[in-house]
Amino acid sequence: MENRLKSKNSLNPDLWTAIQHLQKAIAAGGVDPKLLALVHLRASQINGCSACVHASVAGAKRAGDTDERLHNVAAWREAPFYTDAERAALALAEAATRLQDGAEGVTDEIWEDANAHFTEEQIGAINLEIALTNFFNRINRTIKEPAGKTWG
């Protein structure tokens, strides 16, 4: 696969500044970076974004996560490796990502479970991580960003 966009450096620098501000806001939310990486990984798996799957695994490993947990994110409901808080965040990520084709989206039950584990500030950061991940997934799928070339 070859990237359709040959020179990302020529894009508007304000775009990169805005993304950096969003990433700072996410980091300021007080959520464990390993959890944010799991959320990023799960949404990227759903969207089939190889560049973001690669980047989120690399980021999770830098944050200290294990291969065992990273290999099982796609089957997190059946795998014993995740805390209840991580499960709530992964459920939120899946529901917020799967909005197509009449999917139910974030139900009250999913939202209440997230609220049981996180503060409003943390949920805001997790939601922003989910949205930014979906943003990157769509751009990378559109321009055919290959895994491992510029991310992670």
Side-chain angles (χ1 to χ4, degrees):
M1 185 158 76
E2 189 173 325
N3 192 319
R4 291 173 170 161
L5 191 59
K6 302 304 178 205
S7 178
K8 289 182 235 93
N9 292 333
S10 66
L11 294 178
N12 184 339
D14 290 340
L15 172 66
W16 298 114
T17 300
I19 290 169
Q20 288 173 336
H21 285 291
L22 290 171
Q23 290 171 329
K24 285 180 185 177
I26 292 167
V31 178
D32 183 345
K34 288 193 294 189
L35 187 143
L36 291 173
L38 291 176
V39 164
H40 187 91
L41 175 57
R42 187 63 192 123
S44 299
Q45 288 172 332
I46 292 166
N47 290 325
C49 180
S50 67
C52 286
V53 166
H54 183 272
S56 56
V57 167
K61 287 183 147 206
R62 281 192 303 274
D65 219 330
T66 66
D67 286 336
E68 183 176 59
R69 285 168 41 89
L70 297 173
H71 288 301
N72 282 279
V73 169
W76 63 268
R77 285 180 179 83
E78 294 80 22
F81 311 118
Y82 309 99
T83 67
D84 289 343
E86 289 168 335
R87 291 176 186 284
L90 289 166
L92 183 62
E94 284 189 0
T97 298
R98 293 188 168 165
L99 298 177
Q100 78 290 350
D101 302 327
E104 193 171 12
V106 178
T107 63
D108 289 342
E109 179 183 15
I110 291 169
W111 186 256
E112 289 166 11
D113 193 26
N115 268 306
H117 295 283
F118 302 104
T119 66
E120 265 195 36
E121 185 177 14
Q122 290 172 320
I123 291 174
I126 293 167
N127 278 326
L128 191 52
E129 178 69 26
I130 295 164
L132 190 57
T133 299
N134 278 281
F135 169 82
F136 280 127
N137 291 168
R138 280 151 179 78
I139 289 173
N140 287 335
R141 292 288 310 269
T142 299
I143 66 171
K144 292 189 172 186
E145 181 70 34
K149 295 291 184 180
T150 59
W151 298 100

